C-alpha cells in the first residue's frame, strides 16, 4: 500500500473496505446461515423472490415504494455500482471526500470521475452550485456527465446532510439531467434519529434515483457480502434494471445461496434484528463521541459524528508536530497513525481528498476489544466507556493526540 500510482495519491484504486463492526454475529443470523449451509441451488442473478420481497418491505417501511421486479441484489454494493455505471454510461460525479470504493469502479470501466466540492456540514452531498459548475465545465471540455453518486449518511465523514441542502442538490442534478445513485448503506446507523432528520433523494426525485444499500452497514456482518438496489418505479427504471441484470450476469455476480437466507431475514427486520441494530448503533455512537472529544481537545478539526462507526478528522492544526515526525501528507499520516495507534487509519487521499491535506478516518470497531468476549461485553454494557479494555484504547488515543498537541504548541512561533 505505497504511493505508486501516477495520480500521486498512492494506490487508491480500491481503497479501504467498510469499517469493521467488530461485534459477534447475531445468533439468529448465524442460525439462519447454518440452516442454509447445505443449500445446493444457486441464488438467481439479481436475487430470488424471498430476498427481493424482503428488500421491498424494508424500503416500504421507510416510505419508498418498491416492486420485486425493480430490485436487484448482488454480493456487495461495489458490484451494483459497477453494474450501474456500466449500464448508465457517461462520466461520473462524486462528492469530495466520498466513499473510497466509488471512484475506482468507474475508472475500472475507463470512465472519467470528477470530484465536486462538498461543504463540511453536508458530507456526502455536493454543493449545488459547485455541481452545476462542474457539469458545465465537463460538458464544455467534451465530457458527458450522466451519473451523480451521493450519500445522505456519509462515509467517510459520518455526517448527515440537512434536508434543505439535499433538496437543492437533487434539484440541481435533475436540472442537469443526471441520474442519481443514493448510497444508503449507513441510513440505519444514525446516532440520534430524534435529532437528525434523514431523507432519501428517492423521496424527492423518484424517477431519477437508484438507491443502493450494502447490508454490511447495519444488518449483516461485513464478511457476508450482500447488497440490494431499488430502481425507479417507471419505464426508465425497468430499462435500467434490465441493463444492470445483464452486467451482473456477465460478471457472475450473484449472492451466495447460504448468505441470501440471513440477508432476507435481516431485511425483514424481526425484533431480534432491530434490537441488535439499535444496540450496535448506541455502542458505536458512544465510542465515536468519546474519540471525537479527545481528538478535538488535542486541536484537530472534526465534525461531530452523526452516523456509522467512524469519524473524519483534519489534523492540519497539528502539522508542525507531524512535520517534525516526518509526516507531510495523508499517506504518511496514515502510516504514522496506524503504527502509533495500532489500528487502521486510512488517509483522506483514499476518499478523494488532496494528498497534502492531513485528513484521516478513524473507525470505532477497533476500540471494542480484541476478542468476541470483550466485544460482546461492550454490546451488553450500559456504560461501555467504563470497561477496562475500552478505557485503555481511549487513553492510548488521547496520549497520542495530546503529545502532538503539546509538541505543536511548543513549535508555535512567538507572538
Amino acid at each position: 500500500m505505497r504511493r505508486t500510482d501516477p495520480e500521486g495519491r498512492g494506490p487508491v484504486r480500491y481503497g479501504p473496505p467498510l469499517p469493521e463492526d467488530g461485534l459477534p454475529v447475531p445468533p439468529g443470523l448465524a442460525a439462519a446461515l447454518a440452516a442454509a449451509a447445505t443449500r445446493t441451488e444457486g441464488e438467481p442473478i439479481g436475487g430470488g423472490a424471498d430476498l427481493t420481497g424482503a428488500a421491498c418491505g424494508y424500503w416500504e417501511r421507510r416510505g419508498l415504494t418498491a416492486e420485486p421486479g425493480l430490485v436487484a441484489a448482488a454480493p456487495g454494493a461495489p458490484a451494483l455500482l459497477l453494474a450501474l455505471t456500466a449500464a448508465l454510461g457517461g462520466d461520473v460525479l462524486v462528492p469530495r471526500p466520498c466513499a473510497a470504493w466509488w471512484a475506482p469502479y468507474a475508472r475500472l470501466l475507463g470512465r472519467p470521475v470528477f470530484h465536486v466540492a462538498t461543504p463540511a456540514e453536508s458530507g456526502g452531498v455536493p454543493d449545488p452550485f459547485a455541481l452545476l459548475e462542474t457539469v458545465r465545465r465537463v460538458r464544455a471540455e467534451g465530457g458527458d456527465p450522466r451519473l451523480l453518486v451521493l450519500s445522505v449518511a456519509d462515509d467517510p465523514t459520518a455526517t448527515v446532510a440537512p434536508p434543505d441542502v439535499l433538496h437543492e442538490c437533487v434539484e440541481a442534478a435533475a436540472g442537469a439531467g443526471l441520474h442519481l445513485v443514493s448510497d444508503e448503506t449507513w441510513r440505519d446507523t444514525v446516532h440520534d434519529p430524534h435529532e437528525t432528520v434523514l431523507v432519501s433523494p428517492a423521496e424527492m426525485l423518484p424517477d431519477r434515483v437508484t438507491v443502493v444499500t450494502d447490508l454490511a452497514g447495519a444488518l449483516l456482518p461485513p464478511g457476508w457480502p450482500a447488497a440490494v438496489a431499488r430502481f425507479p418505479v417507471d419505464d426508465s427504471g425497468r430499462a435500467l434494471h434490465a441493463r444492470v441484470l445483464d452486467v451482473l450476469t456477465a460478471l457472475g455476480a450473484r449472492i451466495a445461496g447460504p448468505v441470501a437466507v440471513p440477508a432476507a431475514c435481516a431485511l425483514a427486520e424481526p425484533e431480534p434484528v432491530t434490537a441488535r441494530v439499535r444496540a450496535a448503533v448506541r455502542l458505536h455512537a458512544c465510542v465515536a463521541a468519546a474519540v471525537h472529544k479527545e481528538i478535538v481537545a488535542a486541536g484537530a478539526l472534526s465534525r461531530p459524528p452523526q452516523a456509522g462507526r467512524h469519524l473524519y478528522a483534519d489534523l492540519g492544526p497539528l502539522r508542525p508536530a507531524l512535520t517534525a515526525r516526518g509526516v507531510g501528507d495523508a499517506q504518511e499520516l496514515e502510516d504514522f497513525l496506524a503504527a502509533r495507534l495500532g489500528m487502521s487509519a486510512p488517509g483522506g487521499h483514499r476518499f478523494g481528498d488532496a494528498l497534502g491535506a492531513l485528513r484521516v478516518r478513524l473507525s470505532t470497531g477497533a476500540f471494542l476489544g480484541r476478542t468476541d468476549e470483550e466485544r460482546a461485553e461492550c454490546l451488553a454494557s450500559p456504560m461501555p466507556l467504563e470497561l477496562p479494555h475500552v478505557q485503555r484504547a481511549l487513553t492510548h488515543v488521547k496520549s497520542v493526540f495530546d503529545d502532538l498537541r503539546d509538541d505543536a504548541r511548543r513549535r508555535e512561533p512567538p507572538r
Side-chain angles (χ1 to χ4, degrees):
M1 300 298 289
R2 308 307 306 169
R3 189 180 298 104
T4 56
D5 102 5
E7 295 177 2
R9 292 203 297 268
V12 204
R13 289 303 183 200
Y14 295 95
L18 289 172
E20 290 293 328
D21 181 69
L23 299 173
V25 176
L29 297 183
L33 181 70
T38 58
R39 179 179 173 180
T40 57
E41 72 276 13
E43 187 76 359
I45 291 289
D50 289 345
L51 183 55
T52 57
C56 287
Y58 168 87
W59 280 307
E60 286 169 356
R61 287 190 294 275
R62 287 153 180 80
L64 297 176
T65 302
E67 295 181 5
L70 289 173
V71 172
L80 287 172
L81 184 58
L82 178 66
L84 281 160
T85 305
L88 286 163
D91 304 338
V92 180
L93 305 174
V94 296
R96 169 169 282 146
C98 69
W101 54 272
W102 288 357
Y105 289 93
R107 294 193 186 109
L108 185 66
L109 295 168
R111 302 284 168 74
V113 179
F114 299 92
H115 287 269
V116 184
T118 304
E121 65 273 12
S122 56
V125 176
D127 176 83
F129 298 103
L131 175 64
L132 292 175
E133 175 57 23
T134 303
V135 170
R136 185 203 63 76
R137 175 175 56 82
V138 171
R139 286 176 176 160
E141 295 172 355
D144 183 21
R146 298 187 192 178
L147 171 61
L148 170 64
V149 188
L150 50 71
S151 60
V152 288
D154 186 42
D155 173 15
T157 66
T159 58
V160 177
D164 57 331
V165 174
L166 175 63
H167 190 270
E168 291 173 0
C169 179
V170 167
E171 282 192 334
L178 302 176
H179 187 89
L180 279 72
V181 168
S182 177
D183 179 1
E184 301 186 5
T185 294
W186 301 105
R187 73 164 297 157
D188 294 326
T189 66
V190 172
H191 297 171
D192 189 350
H194 300 294
E195 295 292 331
T196 305
V197 178
L198 188 148
V199 180
S200 171
E203 298 177 51
M204 302 176 178
L205 194 67
D207 60 339
R208 297 191 71 87
V209 178
T210 298
V211 176
V212 172
T213 300
D214 197 313
L215 304 190
L219 297 174
L220 289 183
W224 299 7
V228 288
R230 171 202 173 275
F231 293 80
V233 185
D234 60 12
D235 290 342
S236 67
R238 290 182 176 83
L240 179 58
H241 177 262
R243 294 196 298 273
V244 165
L245 290 186
D246 286 343
V247 178
L248 293 176
T249 300
L251 295 172
R254 68 181 77 228
I255 293 181
V259 174
V261 175
C265 174
L267 284 165
E269 299 183 292
E271 174 54 27
V273 168
T274 57
R276 169 57 181 269
V277 169
R278 289 193 298 269
V281 169
R282 283 195 301 269
L283 173 60
H284 285 291
C286 179
V287 174
V291 176
H292 178 264
K293 177 183 177 181
E294 298 298 346
I295 64 174
V296 169
L301 303 175
S302 176
R303 302 288 298 183
Q306 296 175 287
R309 43 183 182 257
H310 48 275
L311 68 157
Y312 202 59
D314 184 346
L315 274 59
L318 303 175
R319 185 179 290 274
L322 290 165
T323 299
R325 290 161 171 77
V327 176
D329 63 27
Q331 179 65 60
E332 292 166 350
L333 177 63
E334 175 181 310
D335 296 339
F336 172 79
L337 287 179
R340 292 294 302 274
L341 297 176
M343 64 181 67
S344 175
H349 62 304
R350 300 191 180 276
F351 309 100
D353 253 333
L355 177 66
L358 296 177
R359 299 187 182 118
V360 65
R361 187 187 73 183
L362 300 176
S363 299
T364 53
F367 293 83
L368 305 183
R370 298 184 179 275
T371 67
D372 280 348
E373 290 73 20
E374 288 181 337
R375 294 162 183 158
E377 189 179 9
C378 286
L379 192 64
S381 174
M383 293 180 289
L385 299 183
E386 296 186 6
L387 296 174
H389 60 277
V390 178
Q391 282 189 341
R392 285 193 299 270
L394 289 171
T395 299
H396 181 55
V397 167
K398 174 179 170 58
S399 68
V400 170
F401 279 88
D402 283 355
D403 181 51
L404 290 173
R405 177 200 61 201
D406 295 342
D407 193 14
R409 287 176 178 173
R410 284 193 297 269
R411 296 175 185 278
E412 288 179 355
R415 296 181 180 178

